Amino acid sequence: SSRRPALPLPPAPRTVTGVRGSMHSPESGKASSVTHSPGIPTPGAATVTVIVRVRPLLASELHEQHLIRTHQGTTLILDEPENPGAKDVLQREGAQGTAVLASPPLASYTFGFDHVYGPASSQAEVYARTAAPAVKAVIEGFNATVIAYGMTGAGKTYTMEGTLDQPEHRGMSPRAMEAIFEHIRACSDPSKNFLVRASYLQIYNESIADLLKPGRTGLAVREDKKRGLYVEGLSEWVVRSSDEVRRLMARGQALRATGSTRANELSSRSHAVVMVVVEQTEALGPTTPSTAGAAEGAPWEGSCGSAAAAAATLRRRLRVGKLNLVDLAGSERNSASGAVGARLEEAKKINTSLSALGNVVAALSERAVGRGRAHIPYRDSKL
């Protein structure tokens, strides 16, 4: 498996996932390779999906110009009222208090996605369709990325991280870690050992900081043939349970840059990335039993089988999968957020980096269909 991180996806709707390898061409409808990593986990399966999650409307939003509704789980419809200034344009109905138009809309705009979740969707439901396939692929040795994109206040951080001390409100990052360790606990093959490492960083005003090692800021992105893409000086933590990961995430969340704007009382002012590397070694051929603490040390508690059965082998197969869980800072318009001073400078950096991400994906997509430029502007942003 390549150590190269999966392809970052475009600043499109709310949540996007990718299991390295391809994007769909809008012209042919077929998958076209756009990364250096050959193959996909399941032959013929889509490796990039775009999923939208609509959060519940706030009281202040019930009388705004547009109203979103979903259709058959894959279609998002945006209605524009004929008279957006009138307070009686919207009415509420149904058990969930759903807001609907009281009169026919002036115009409706329809968009199709791999899946659309309505306001009543649960964290578990979103994880099962969005992140679970990516986690499974990582365990099998592929690289995968889950990116949450949306305007400020859209609920990205809630979707990705959630509330760690409330099980039903846990986001995709803690659920992904629980799934990884559940797989390790369920493994009964004595020839397999696992090692899980985690890192947590933020990109704030185009500067990379380690959220698990306070004081490590201004880190640089590097690349070499053996390690692939990596952040120089970023700490990696060997984790043995989902509880350990939860404690690390809580520590990192406390250090993440946040601020208040008119659009969001607690706005994330940085892009946050949780990086998880899952290494799996498998003994090939006959094994030579040894005692715990042999040459390479006894396997940690996440290994399958005993130390004696797994310590010494003639040959080993190594699988390495990397999972990137990305909570982007929200895009925003200054007229809506009312940002000034430091908040305005943060907004400029956020929007510039999101634009750079979009340019990279656009260039990769054009190259995939044979009409792109040779240069891909990766270096325009740390993101």
Side-chain angles (χ1 to χ4, degrees), residues 4-11 16-18 20 23 34-35 48 144-147 229 324 326 328 356-358 360-362 364-365 378 382-383:
R4 185 182 302 277
L7 171 69
L9 299 177
V16 292
T17 66
R20 68 172 213 180
M23 293 186 67
V34 293
T35 72
V48 174
T145 293
V146 180
I147 302 178
L229 197 69
N324 298 310
V326 185
L328 295 176
L357 175 59
V360 166
V361 175
L364 287 168
S365 301
Y378 291 111
K382 297 289 178 62
L383 178 61

Side-chain angles (χ1 to χ4, degrees), residues 71 95 106 117 145 194 249 286 308 370:
H71 179 64
L106 175 66
Y117 288 103
T145 293
F194 293 84
M249 288 188 61

Side-chain angles (χ1 to χ4, degrees), residues 270-343:
S270 67
H271 309 301
V273 184
V274 176
M275 294 184 290
V276 182
V277 178
V278 180
E279 296 185 4
Q280 175 181 319
T281 58
E282 181 179 4
L284 302 176
T287 61
T288 302
S290 65
T291 59
E296 296 183 0
W300 59 282
E301 59 188 342
S303 66
C304 302
S306 65
T313 66
L314 296 177
R315 291 184 302 132
R316 286 181 181 269
R317 175 189 290 120
L318 174 65
R319 287 183 176 180
V320 180
K322 184 176 181 181
L323 177 64
N324 298 310
L325 300 163
V326 185
D327 176 20
L328 295 176
S331 59
E332 60 184 50
R333 292 175 298 166
N334 186 48
S335 59
S337 67
V340 295
R343 293 289 172 264

